[in-house]
Each structure stands twice: as structure tokens, then as C-alpha cells.
Amino acid sequence: MSKSCMLTTFDNPFDPYEQFTSWFLFDTEKGYNSCSYLARIARTSDQFTEEENNKEIERAIDEIIKYDFRNIYKKVTKKRKIA
């Protein structure tokens, strides 16, 4: 088993794994644009393996939270099966 990480905000009532569309609409309506923010920070590549990209995404999420002066972001994780 491995884990998957996502960036969300404390006030978003939707689960980004199970209710992504509702989560995304709430996030963009509030002006957070978490997906775009994460994409700017994470240094992912098509040349990396999925596992390497996942580690980079988690590193970027941790960095965003570390420098979050508004204290609005949090990391959510979900275990996933490795095929």
C-alpha cells in the first residue's frame, strides 16, 4: 500500500477524493485555486515514475503548508493499492 496526498483548505467541506467536482468548485469560488498553486510549486515530470511524482507532490504540499501565513491549507491523505 502507498498513500496519495492532496492539498485542501480547512473550510472546504468536500472530500477532494470522493467529491472532486464539488471540492474544486468550492475551492475556485473562494479564490484559493489550490490545484494551480500546487502545480506551480511541484516539480513533476513525464520523465519521472508515478511514485517519484507522488513524492514530489507531497513535498510541494508540505512546502505550501510550511509557508502558509494565513493558515488555511491542510494535507489530506488516502491509502491506495499498488498494482
Side-chain angles (χ1 to χ4, degrees):
M1 285 247 169
S2 183
K3 70 177 179 176
S4 165
C5 299
M6 293 189 84
L7 181 67
T8 189
T9 55
F10 284 104
D11 63 340
N12 195 325
F14 301 102
D15 181 343
Y17 291 101
E18 304 296 326
Q19 304 166 303
F20 184 80
T21 301
S22 297
W23 174 88
F24 183 79
L25 289 172
F26 181 92
D27 187 76
T28 54
E29 284 177 2
K30 293 284 189 173
Y32 299 133
N33 301 307
S34 299
C35 291
S36 298
Y37 185 22
L38 181 58
R40 288 192 309 272
I41 303 300
R43 296 182 296 262
T44 59
S45 171
D46 290 339
Q47 296 179 345
F48 294 160
T49 66
E50 183 178 354
E51 189 63 31
E52 289 172 322
N53 279 322
N54 288 338
K55 286 181 182 179
E56 173 56 20
I57 289 168
E58 183 171 11
R59 184 210 59 81
I61 289 171
D62 292 340
E63 182 178 320
I64 288 169
I65 291 169
K66 179 179 178 180
Y67 296 108
D68 177 21
F69 66 92
R70 295 183 295 169
N71 196 33
I72 61 170
Y73 291 106
K74 68 178 180 176
K75 175 170 62 173
V76 292
T77 59
K78 183 176 185 177
K79 290 184 181 182
R80 58 187 170 92
K81 294 180 184 178
I82 299 176

